[in-house]
Amino acid sequence: MVQASAPGKCILFGEHAVVYGQPAVAVAIDQRMSINFEISENWRIDGMKFQNRKHPHVTALRTRLWEGGPPLSIKITGNIPPASGLGSSASLSVAAAAALRCARGRQIIDDDWAEGWTASRPNDVYNSAGIASKGDFIEHGASAVDEDECAILAHAVEAFAQNGKASPLDSSTCSHGGCIVLSDKVETHLNWLYSRNLNGVTWEVHSVKLPKEIEEAYLVIGNTGVHAPTSVQVEKIAKLLKEQPNRINEIETIGLISKRGINGLIEGDLEAVGRAMSENHLILRNLGLSCPELETLISAAAPSSLGVKLTGAGGGGCMVALTRDPKTTSEAIELAGGRTLISSIAASGLLVDNDSDCPLWNPLN
Ligand code: MEV
C-alpha cells in the first residue's frame, strides 16, 4: 500500500486576478485529502469500478505516471469540502501524483532525476533515504517524490479541468504547503521556487516564511454550501473583460492590494493583513463574484474579525475570516447558516504517509 496526503488551500489575496498574472497569496490549511493505492485485480475507487470520466484528475495522472502499470484499488479520504474553493481537487491531484510516483519509483540517470523531471535539488524534501548518486536505477518510495513535480502535474490537471485557464496557485500551495506567493516577476525579498507558464502567462512562484506574530491569528472558513464550479467563475471574468476591457483596472487594483497584504504578512502586521483582505473582497464583489449567501456569512463574521473576504472562485463556495478569536467568529458564521472550518495559517504541505510496500510496480522490469 502507498498513501500520500496534501493540504487544502485558502487564498488570502488575488484570486481571479492571478489568472491574469497579478500577484496572489495562498496558504495551506489544516484540512487535507489523502489517497491510497493498492495492487488489485481491476481498477477500483472506493470499492466501485473506476470510471475515467467521474475522476478526471486521477485519470489524467494515471495516464502520465502509471501507463502500462498494474490495476490499482484507490481509496480517497479527507475533510476538504469539494467544489468550495479550498483546493480539494488540487490537493487530491498533488496527493495522487505523490502516491503514484512513490509507487513506481524513479529512474535516475547520472545525477538527474529522469522521466520528464530534472528539478534542481533544493526543493526536494523527500530525500531522507539519501539522494541518488550516479547510476541507472530506480529510487523507491518516498525518496522518489518531489514537491515541484507533484505541483506541476497537479497544475496541468487543473488547467485541463478549467479549459486551460488555471494559475499554479492551488497546485503549488497544496504541494509545498506554508504560504505561497505568485507574481509576474521574481520578488527578491521572497524565496523564489520556480517559474510556470501557461497560455502566454508567466508566474513566478515563491514561498514565504511567516513571522511568529501570524500564529496569533486563525482562519475561520465559512462554507455557504452553494456549489459554484471554478471553471464557470473563471469564464465569467474572462467574458466580462472581453466585453468591458477597462475592467482590467480592477484586476490590477487587486494586484496592488495583494502586494500590501504580502508586506503585512512579512511584517507580522495582522491588522494590515485583515484590512487588505476586506478591501480585496470589495473589488471581488464589484466584479460580480460574490452572492447573497457569501455576503450573509461575511457580515456575520466581520465584527469579530481583522478582515473578511470570499476565498477561491466565488459565486458560492467559501468565505474566510482572519481572527484572533476563532470560537466567536465561527459561532457567528454558523448562526448565520454557514458551516465552518478553523485552520492555523500556513499548514504543512504534501506528505507521503505510507510507502512500506513500494515499489508497487517497477516500470523497468
Ligand atoms: C481558484 O481557487 C482560484 C482562481 O484564481 C483560479 C485560478 O487561480 O486558477 C479563481
Side-chain angles (χ1 to χ4, degrees):
M1 198 247 272
V2 51
Q3 180 168 327
S5 65
K9 65 93 213 320
C10 178
I11 301 183
L12 298 185
F13 304 104
E15 48 272 273
H16 288 284
V18 70
V19 175
Y20 301 90
Q22 294 297 322
V25 185
V27 290
I29 55 174
D30 296 336
Q31 290 69 27
R32 302 177 73 85
M33 295 304 288
S34 180
I35 191 161
N36 75 50
F37 294 105
E38 268 175 303
I39 300 286
S40 164
E41 298 266 293
N42 41 44
W43 281 93
R44 303 193 76 72
I45 190 157
D46 294 326
M48 321 270 276
K49 189 169 179 283
F50 186 93
Q51 285 175 290
N52 288 355
R53 80 186 150 75
K54 279 202 184 161
H55 305 283
H57 295 82
V58 180
T59 302
L61 290 166
R62 203 177 115 177
T63 313
R64 189 73 179 256
L65 289 172
W66 207 254
E67 199 71 68
L72 296 171
S73 167
I74 306 167
K75 280 202 187 71
I76 296 172
T77 51
N79 54 358
I80 307 173
S84 56
L86 298 179
S88 62
S89 61
S91 160
L92 183 66
S93 302
V94 164
L100 285 174
R101 169 54 76 196
C102 193
R104 68 170 286 174
R106 180 186 300 273
Q107 183 182 11
I108 300 174
I109 298 170
D110 297 331
D111 276 340
D112 283 340
W113 276 5
E115 304 179 77
W117 190 248
T118 52
S120 57
R121 306 299 307 211
N123 298 316
D124 167 27
V125 293
Y126 292 101
N127 57 5
S128 52
I131 290 183
S133 53
K134 280 192 193 295
D136 191 358
F137 60 98
I138 298 280
E139 178 90 341
H140 296 310
S143 55
V145 176
D146 180 89
E147 288 181 334
D148 286 13
E149 180 190 41
C150 294
I152 203 167
L153 286 168
H155 182 210
V157 173
E158 292 274 292
F160 180 71
Q162 284 174 217
N163 306 322
K165 285 195 196 67
S167 77
L169 187 57
D170 292 19
S171 46
S172 292
T173 309
C174 296
S175 191
H176 296 273
C179 177
I180 294 290
V181 170
L182 261 56
S183 181
D184 54 351
K185 59 179 196 316
V186 174
E187 305 286 350
T188 48
H189 60 305
L190 307 177
N191 175 34
W192 179 79
L193 296 174
Y194 43 74
S195 303
R196 288 278 191 268
N197 276 294
L198 187 70
N199 292 334
V201 185
T202 300
W203 295 271
E204 303 298 343
V205 182
H206 311 75
S207 66
V208 186
K209 190 160 168 20
L210 300 180
K212 272 254 164 257
E213 290 86 336
I214 297 294
E215 286 171 23
E216 287 168 27
Y218 292 83
L219 301 177
V220 180
I221 295 162
N223 192 348
T224 59
V226 177
H227 180 71
T230 301
S231 55
V232 174
Q233 297 300 106
V234 169
E235 257 332 296
K236 191 165 154 182
I237 296 301
K239 189 162 173 273
L240 181 76
L241 290 174
K242 199 162 171 230
E243 286 165 10
Q244 301 174 43
N246 63 330
R247 306 288 299 259
I248 196 72
N249 293 337
E250 284 155 86
I251 299 290
E252 285 165 4
T253 307
I254 292 180
L256 294 176
I257 295 172
S258 294
K259 283 188 185 156
R260 259 198 291 125
I262 295 164
N263 290 340
L265 282 167
I266 293 171
E267 285 159 15
D269 183 345
L270 287 167
E271 276 71 19
V273 175
R275 269 196 307 277
M277 284 170 68
S278 297
E279 281 175 42
N280 191 161
H281 178 71
L282 295 182
I283 303 189
L284 292 169
R285 187 170 76 185
N286 222 31
L287 286 166
L289 291 163
S290 194
C291 66
E293 292 84 352
L294 276 169
E295 290 304 310
T296 303
L297 303 190
I298 284 171
S299 306
S304 60
S305 302
L306 298 158
V308 59
K309 65 185 274 293
L310 72 78
T311 184
C318 291
M319 47 71 67
V320 58
L322 180 75
T323 176
R324 286 197 171 91
D325 185 359
K327 189 168 175 288
T328 305
T329 307
S330 166
E331 281 168 4
I333 296 172
E334 296 250 346
L335 267 178
R339 301 198 53 187
T340 57
L341 297 170
I342 299 178
S343 174
S344 55
I345 303 171
S348 8
L350 162 64
L351 283 173
V352 173
D353 302 304
N354 186 341
D355 67 341
S356 51
D357 296 343
C358 286
L360 299 187
W361 169 49
N362 183 337
L364 290 192
N365 280 343

